[in-house]
């Protein structure tokens, strides 16, 4: 068994909010793998490369320029560093959000990041959140959850999140974007987003954060 709590699910399903709180309560590191894909995407965009033109051959030497590390801060939170600088909020712009699922389709990028993700078990029990943690990165994870909610509920949550949406966005327009991103994430040939057979499904459409939290913690404490 791998010493991991895996939380997978589509965009804006509440994964990061829940993962943050679960890691706080259990006092274990929380790793957002979406932030790793976003950081790579941010780096590529900062070089003015058109992501649609990327291939494995083009991206391979770019990855060699990236040093991606996690450092534990004084609050016990694991912050992501790109070439020794904390990335902060630059990975949460609409530009990065739109480009990231294209970058995440490249096998070269996925192999590179999955290797880094697997190495993080050196910290003991960790909570890792993403799209393929229970299926691909840690297929033998001790605990697996698949968190989802309806596109409309997720759109409302995303509108409440900082920096992710463009001005004038509506629930309808954001729900449409979310559906498109789900479609790309679920149909890509490599590590598509899907619920692992042995993952516990949590549909949070009609649940409060506290209810989801209680549900997950009670399963882990069993
Ligand atoms: O969780 P997020 O919205 O920050 O993730 C951003 C993108 O990264 C998402 O559209 C798909 C990709 N991703 C992935 O392909 N595999 C993961 N394990 C995590 C994220």
């Amino acid at each position: 068994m791998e010493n991991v709590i895996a939380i997978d699910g589509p965009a804006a399903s509440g994964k990061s909010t829940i993962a943050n709180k679960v890691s706080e309560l259990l006092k274990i590191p929380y790793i957002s793998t979406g932030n790793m894909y976003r950081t790579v995407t941010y780096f590529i965009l900062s070089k003015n490369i058109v992501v649609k033109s990327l291939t494995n051959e083009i991206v391979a030497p770019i990855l060699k320029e990236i040093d991606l590390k996690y450092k534990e801060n004084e609050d016990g939170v694991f912050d992501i560093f790109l070439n020794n600088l904390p990335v902060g909020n630059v990975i949460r712009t609409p530009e990065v959000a739109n480009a990231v699922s294209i970058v995440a389709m490249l096998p070269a990028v996925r192999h590179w990041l999955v290797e880094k993700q697997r190495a993080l078990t050196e910290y003991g029990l960790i909570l890792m959140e993403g799209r393929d943690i229970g299926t691909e990165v840690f297929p033998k994870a001790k605990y697996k959850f698949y968190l989802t909610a309806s596109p409309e509920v997720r759109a409302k949550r995303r509108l409440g999140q900082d920096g992710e949406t463009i001005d004038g966005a509506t629930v309808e327009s954001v729900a449409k974007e979310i559906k498109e991103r789900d479609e790309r994430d679920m149909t890509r040939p490599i590590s598509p987003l899907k619920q692992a057979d042995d993952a516990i499904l949590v549909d949070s459409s009609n649940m409060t954060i506290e209810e989801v939290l209680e549900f997950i913690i009670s399963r882990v404490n069993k």
Side-chain angles (χ1 to χ4, degrees):
M1 281 269 170
E2 289 146 338
N3 220 0
V4 174
I5 302 174
I7 301 185
D8 289 300
S13 57
K15 296 189 303 291
S16 57
T17 307
I18 295 300
N20 251 315
K21 289 188 190 283
V22 171
S23 87
E24 240 175 68
L25 280 170
L26 299 179
K27 300 194 171 29
I28 57 170
Y30 154 47
I31 310 292
S32 154
T33 57
N35 283 351
M36 296 172 118
Y37 286 94
R38 284 169 184 267
T39 302
V40 170
T41 304
Y42 166 76
F43 185 79
I44 291 168
L45 291 175
S46 73
K47 295 178 84 71
N48 288 321
I49 294 169
V50 179
V51 291
K52 284 204 174 117
S53 67
L54 280 175
T55 61
N56 287 312
E57 289 68 33
I58 295 174
V59 89
I62 302 174
L63 293 174
K64 292 213 170 79
E65 292 177 43
I66 303 178
D67 176 28
L68 202 67
K69 283 213 180 74
Y70 274 92
K71 289 187 196 163
E72 192 175 358
N73 70 22
E74 61 272 23
D75 299 324
V77 175
F78 278 60
D79 291 327
I80 193 164
F81 281 69
L82 167 63
N83 295 338
N84 282 319
L85 293 172
V87 296
N89 275 336
V90 293
I91 58 168
R92 311 221 68 86
T93 62
E95 290 74 24
V96 172
N98 286 330
V100 63
S101 53
I102 299 171
V103 172
M105 274 190 226
L106 292 163
V109 173
R110 299 205 74 85
H111 291 149
W112 191 76
L113 283 179
V114 166
E115 212 167 280
K116 293 192 182 304
Q117 289 155 9
R118 290 189 179 140
L120 288 164
T121 47
E122 67 174 285
Y123 295 107
L125 179 67
I126 54 167
L127 188 157
M128 195 171 278
E129 167 250 295
R131 303 291 190 286
D132 60 343
I133 311 308
T135 52
E136 189 67 32
V137 187
F138 293 111
K140 296 200 182 89
K142 247 185 209 163
Y143 310 97
K144 293 184 189 179
F145 298 95
Y146 188 85
L147 202 58
T148 189
S150 71
E152 286 68 30
V153 168
R154 289 190 280 138
K156 283 187 192 144
R157 289 180 187 160
R158 176 70 19 124
L159 276 171
Q161 249 173 3
D162 53 325
E164 277 274 349
T165 50
I166 49 169
D167 289 345
T170 61
V171 173
E172 289 72 28
S173 69
V174 177
K176 184 168 166 278
E177 270 168 43
I178 283 177
K179 276 188 197 157
E180 283 165 8
R181 179 127 73 103
D182 286 354
E183 181 70 19
R184 280 204 296 271
D185 289 346
M186 288 173 172
T187 57
R188 67 171 174 235
I190 176 169
S191 306
L193 166 66
K194 77 172 202 288
Q195 186 185 343
D197 293 337
D198 52 352
I200 300 170
L201 175 68
V202 188
D203 182 338
S204 71
S205 302
N206 298 307
M207 290 169 89
T208 63
I209 292 172
E210 287 68 31
E211 285 168 338
V212 176
L213 203 58
E214 203 178 304
F215 179 84
I216 290 181
I217 295 284
S218 71
R219 292 298 168 120
V220 173
N221 282 337
K222 241 184 197 174

